[in-house]
Amino acid sequence: MEELVERVDCQDRVLGVVTRRQAIREGWLHRIASTVCRDERGRILVHRRSEQLSRFPGLYEVMVGGAVGVGESFEQAAGRELAEELGIRGLPRLLFTFINRSGLSPHWLGVHEAVVPDAVTRDSDEVVWHGWLTESEIHSALLEWGFTPDSHEAFSRYLAFRTAQS
């Protein structure tokens, strides 16, 4: 069964329902929810995607996430993705949204944050490795490891947002 998403405009207003595949193929804006997961010590969860995934197989990510389904909020989708990929229940906090033009197609990216337990139950069909890194270690990893296209911009915006909040 095809994954359905809401096609949206530059103001994030819903234009209609399409398949995610169609949105990517046509370059239509749709919504993606992502979460930066921190532990109690402030480290950030980094993970490597399974080689079996159709989008960005084997690449690393700084965030956990996926498409926002029809009728879902960014927060609901982020919570669903956390449960599916890491076995974590709860609603992460939405920090900001922006139009991300990195990756397969343009999309509204909702960036969330959640403090999660050190022990996660990853879905091995999607996540083959995970580790907890400091911000400094992530900066080095972003230069050395293969990350998904949106990881660089989204993480940079996340750090700028946190700095502005301090």
Side-chain angles (χ1 to χ4, degrees):
M1 186 160 143
E2 293 256 12
E3 185 176 20
L4 296 177
V5 296
E6 292 171 333
R7 180 182 176 195
V8 295
D9 65 14
C10 289
Q11 284 75 45
D12 196 21
R13 295 178 298 219
V14 176
L15 301 174
V17 175
V18 298
T19 66
R20 185 172 184 195
R21 181 177 302 168
Q22 185 179 21
I24 291 169
R25 184 181 64 240
E26 300 296 333
W28 293 336
L29 287 172
H30 55 291
R31 297 179 183 130
I32 303 292
S34 64
T35 302
V36 175
C37 298
R38 290 184 163 275
D39 68 5
E40 294 291 337
R41 299 187 338 218
R43 297 176 304 170
I44 297 172
L45 181 84
V46 174
H47 69 278
R48 190 166 71 82
R49 298 169 58 83
S50 167
E51 295 289 346
Q52 276 49 262
L53 294 174
S54 62
R55 296 175 188 95
F56 310 116
L59 295 183
Y60 291 88
E61 287 193 292
V62 179
M63 301 167 294
V64 174
V68 176
V70 175
E72 262 186 326
S73 68
F74 279 108
E75 293 91 342
Q76 290 168 328
R80 176 179 47 75
E81 291 291 336
L82 276 178
E84 289 174 5
E85 294 182 23
L86 301 177
I88 297 169
R89 302 275 179 229
L91 284 181
R93 181 173 64 103
L94 178 64
L95 303 178
F96 59 90
T97 62
F98 71 99
I99 295 178
N100 185 354
R101 300 201 183 277
S102 305
L104 297 175
S105 68
H107 54 272
W108 276 96
L109 185 62
V111 178
H112 301 74
E113 182 178 59
V115 176
V116 301
D118 284 351
V120 297
T121 308
R122 61 183 163 81
D123 176 352
S124 59
D125 289 339
E126 293 197 33
V127 177
V128 295
W129 172 89
H130 75 279
W132 294 97
L133 280 64
T134 64
E135 288 180 13
S136 174
E137 291 169 330
I138 291 173
H139 284 295
S140 296
L142 283 167
L143 297 173
E144 298 170 19
W145 305 354
F147 277 82
T148 59
D150 57 356
S151 287
H152 294 271
E153 182 176 3
F155 189 65
S156 173
R157 286 178 181 249
Y158 168 75
L159 292 178
F161 177 87
R162 284 185 49 90
T163 299
Q165 300 300 305
S166 312

